């Protein structure tokens, strides 16, 4: 399942249909602000919005070799933004057995990083202004690598402390990487955005599919296996080191101007529909991603196969993430796509409730299609419902910050319900029930209208908007 794959498609579909100058500017800029989601998919609260709109000082031109090295560095940075979060999931039952953690406490290992994504992202522009974007990205890799190393220490607080450090590093990198792509690859934004989002989607699939096999092949315990994913951060830091000598800073005045709030946006029902859809679809991704391998293992599937099922879902989500905005751009009603995607997720959850092992391939594939469709539409709605750049930035802040906070609570809440009921039936029924408000919010958010600030009601979008 992916929170990020849809960005490139959302960008192309959203911008190609808009002809009005102000709208074309808004929709061209917004996806760069949204590059990190569940996504993907995603990652992209108020700090990212401010960063993306601020104009960075342009560095000196690069040679071909330098450009290739920079591109490799960006891809390696992106490769570190999910594996250390997702790798916990296939090992969760082993971690609980070794530490005596309750399901509620174990859910924090996924909840904490996702909460960091939303709460700490506003600090990224400040760090970029203080030390420069490139050194700041090097610092994020050091934080991620250090967090992975701290997890090696025996005390349980060290496991949680390392998780916080990892989440903080990822939160900052989520915001900073898209600005580098926008600045240094302005002639190849589509290609680099595609590589970036594909890496964000591939990282979780690799971590979910290989974590248990690594443990089986090496004979390592769960602590060294989790820490081994920190080696990716070390590799990224080494490759990025030459870039850290460049001190491209974000101009403080421009960042402050971009972050200036749009009055009345928080009183817009349409803005809250977009926000609710983003949050609920994120919860439908992160909560199952944390617990589905454990659920499948409890039902009799091997741990390696259970991790493979999560990897399968992440890979299949790529298809849903690309298909939904493409179909929306070709005239298919987005509201219909919302319902179809939600239905796929609902059937997937229901199937896991009835026959978790026998139909695992089908159920996980349906979940992948459902979550991929949902995240791509959530990002698309943020772009389409904003009438200009400032609204797009603030709507992105509102939707994705609240979305990550809500999504972060999902694994914790699901674990608590499992502890209270002693099984997975009620948690799965709860996930199915939450799909109803998700679908309602999505249908409302799909309406061809714009959010309006300054206490005004939502206003109809021009006829040139994507339907």
């Amino acid at each position: 399942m992916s929170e990020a794959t849809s960005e490139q498609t959302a960008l192309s579909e959203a911008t190609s249909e808009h002809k009005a100058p102000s709208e074309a500017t808004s929709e061209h800029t917004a996806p760069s602000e949204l590059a990190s989601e569940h996504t993907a998919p995603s990652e992209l609260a108020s700090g990212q919005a401010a960063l993306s709109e601020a104009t960075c000082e342009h560095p000196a031109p690069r040679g071909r070799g330098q450009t290739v090295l920079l591109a490799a560095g960006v891809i390696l940075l992106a490769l570190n933004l999910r594996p250390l979060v997702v790798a916990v999931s296939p090992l969760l039952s082993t971690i609980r057995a070794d530490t005596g953690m309750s399901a509620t406490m174990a859910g924090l290992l996924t909840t904490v990083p996702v909460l960091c994504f939303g709460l700490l992202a506003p600090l990224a522009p400040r760090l970029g202004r203080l030390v420069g974007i490139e050194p700041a990205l090097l610092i994020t890799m050091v934080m991620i690598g250090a967090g992975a190393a701290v997890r090696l220490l025996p005390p349980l607080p060290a496991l949680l402390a390392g998780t916080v450090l990892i989440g903080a590093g990822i939160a900052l990198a989520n915001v900073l990487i898209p600005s580098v792509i926008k600045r240094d690859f302005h002639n190849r934004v589509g290609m680099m955005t595609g590589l970036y989002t594909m890496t964000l989607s591939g990282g979780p699939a690799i971590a979910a599919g290989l974590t248990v096999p690594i443990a089986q092949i090496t004979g390592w315990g769960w602590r060294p296996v989790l820490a081994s994913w920190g080696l990716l951060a070390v590799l990224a830091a080494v490759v990025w080191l030459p870039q850290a000598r460049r001190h491209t800073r974000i101009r403080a005045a421009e960042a402050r101007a971009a972050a200036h709030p749009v009055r009345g946006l928080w009183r817009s029902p349409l803005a809250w529909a977009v926000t609710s859809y983003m949050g609920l679809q994120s919860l439908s991704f992160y909560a199952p991603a944390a617990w589905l391998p454990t659920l499948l293992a409890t039902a009799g599937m091997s741990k390696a196969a259970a991790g493979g099922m999560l990897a399968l879902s992440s890979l299949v989500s790529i298809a849903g993430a690309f298909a939904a905005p493409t179909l929306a751009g070709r005239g298919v009603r987005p509201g219909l796509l919302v319902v179809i995607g939600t239905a796929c997720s609902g059937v997937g959850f229901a199937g896991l409730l009835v026959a978790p092992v026998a139909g695992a391939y089908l159920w996980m594939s349906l979940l992948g299609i459902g979550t991929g469709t949902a995240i791509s539409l959530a990002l698309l709605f943020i772009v389409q419902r904003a009438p200009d750049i400032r609204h797009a930035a603030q709507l992105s802040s509102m939707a994705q910050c609240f979305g990550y906070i809500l999504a972060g609570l999902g694994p914790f809440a699901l674990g608590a319900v499992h502890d209270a009921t002693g099984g997975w039936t009620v948690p799965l029924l709860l996930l199915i029930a939450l799909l109803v408000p998700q679908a309602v919010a999505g249908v409302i958010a799909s309406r061809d209208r714009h959010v309006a600030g300054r206490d005004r009601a939502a206003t109809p979008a021009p006829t040139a908007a994507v339907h």
Side-chain angles (χ1 to χ4, degrees):
M1 290 179 279
S2 163
E3 278 286 336
T5 311
S6 60
E7 182 200 348
Q8 183 183 15
T9 306
L11 169 61
S12 60
E13 299 299 333
T15 56
S16 63
E17 301 293 332
H18 286 255
K19 305 302 180 184
S22 61
E23 302 223 351
T25 304
S26 169
E27 299 215 1
H28 176 76
T29 307
S32 293
E33 296 160 10
L34 308 177
S36 57
E37 161 77 296
H38 243 302
T39 236
S42 154
E43 285 153 19
L44 312 169
S46 58
Q48 181 169 359
L51 173 61
S52 297
E53 290 191 25
T55 303
C56 299
E57 297 174 6
H58 290 283
R62 302 173 186 268
R64 182 181 181 85
Q66 291 177 320
T67 301
V68 171
L69 183 62
L70 175 63
V74 168
I75 296 304
L76 285 173
L77 292 172
L79 194 59
N80 281 276
L81 300 187
R82 294 298 177 270
L84 277 162
V85 177
V86 176
V88 171
S89 185
L91 297 174
L92 211 49
S93 59
T94 303
I95 295 172
R96 289 184 60 198
D98 186 49
T99 62
M101 297 173 68
S102 66
T104 305
M105 182 65 67
L108 288 175
L109 296 178
T110 301
T111 290
V112 168
V114 181
L115 288 176
C116 287
F117 297 170
L119 296 175
L120 300 183
L123 300 179
R126 298 180 185 180
L127 181 62
R129 291 197 301 268
L130 182 64
V131 302
I133 297 176
E134 294 83 358
L137 280 167
L138 181 62
I139 291 172
T140 66
M141 292 300 106
V142 172
M143 293 172 67
I144 293 171
V150 169
R151 281 175 163 180
L152 282 168
L153 300 177
L156 187 59
L159 177 61
L160 296 176
T163 300
V164 171
L165 197 55
I166 289 167
I170 294 173
L172 299 174
N174 279 340
V175 177
L176 294 168
I177 294 176
S179 69
V180 174
I181 294 175
K182 183 177 179 181
R183 182 198 65 196
D184 291 323
F185 297 94
H186 55 278
N187 292 328
R188 297 181 178 87
V189 170
M191 180 190 71
M192 280 304 300
T193 299
L195 290 173
Y196 172 64
T197 54
M198 289 292 287
T199 303
L200 283 176
S201 301
I206 293 171
L210 294 184
T211 296
V212 173
I214 288 174
Q216 294 174 340
I217 292 171
T218 61
W220 294 346
W222 62 268
R223 292 182 188 274
V225 171
L226 282 183
S228 67
W229 290 105
L231 295 175
L232 288 176
V234 176
L235 176 61
V238 170
V239 174
W240 191 253
L241 195 57
Q243 312 300 332
R245 293 178 297 178
R246 304 168 67 88
H247 294 272
T248 307
R249 299 178 185 274
I250 303 164
R251 295 170 183 167
E254 290 168 335
R256 286 194 300 269
H260 186 70
V262 175
R263 294 181 180 179
L265 184 63
W266 287 49
R267 289 185 288 274
S268 167
L270 182 57
W272 277 109
V274 172
T275 297
S276 298
Y277 185 63
M278 171 61 77
L280 289 168
Q281 67 82 27
S282 295
L283 186 150
S284 293
F285 167 76
Y286 280 106
W291 289 109
L292 282 183
T294 301
L295 182 155
L296 292 172
T298 302
M301 187 176 289
S302 70
K303 292 180 181 179
M309 289 298 101
L310 184 57
L312 170 67
S313 186
S314 295
L315 291 175
V316 173
S317 70
I318 297 174
F322 277 111
T326 300
L327 292 172
R330 293 180 178 178
V332 178
R333 294 176 58 187
L336 177 61
L337 296 174
V338 166
V339 173
I340 292 173
T342 305
C344 286
S345 294
V347 174
F349 287 137
L352 288 171
L353 187 62
V354 176
V357 176
Y361 282 96
L362 176 59
W363 312 140
M364 297 304 287
S365 296
L366 286 172
L367 284 176
I369 294 172
T371 55
T373 298
I375 181 56
S376 64
L377 291 174
L379 295 178
L380 192 63
F381 293 157
I382 291 174
V383 175
Q384 291 182 335
R385 303 291 81 86
D388 53 40
I389 296 175
R390 288 183 64 242
H391 281 78
Q394 297 298 318
L395 184 58
S396 171
S397 274
M398 179 178 174
Q400 300 216 30
C401 181
F402 273 91
Y404 277 125
I405 292 173
L406 182 59
L409 296 175
F412 176 81
L414 214 63
V417 173
H418 175 268
D419 279 345
T421 62
W424 292 108
T425 300
V426 176
L428 284 172
L429 289 174
L430 182 60
L431 288 173
I432 294 172
L434 287 173
L435 291 175
V436 176
Q438 176 181 319
V440 172
V443 170
I444 295 173
S446 71
R447 293 176 180 173
D448 191 15
R449 299 169 70 84
H450 281 155
V451 299
R454 300 186 181 278
D455 304 327
R456 294 173 298 184
T459 56
T463 56
V466 178
H467 294 281

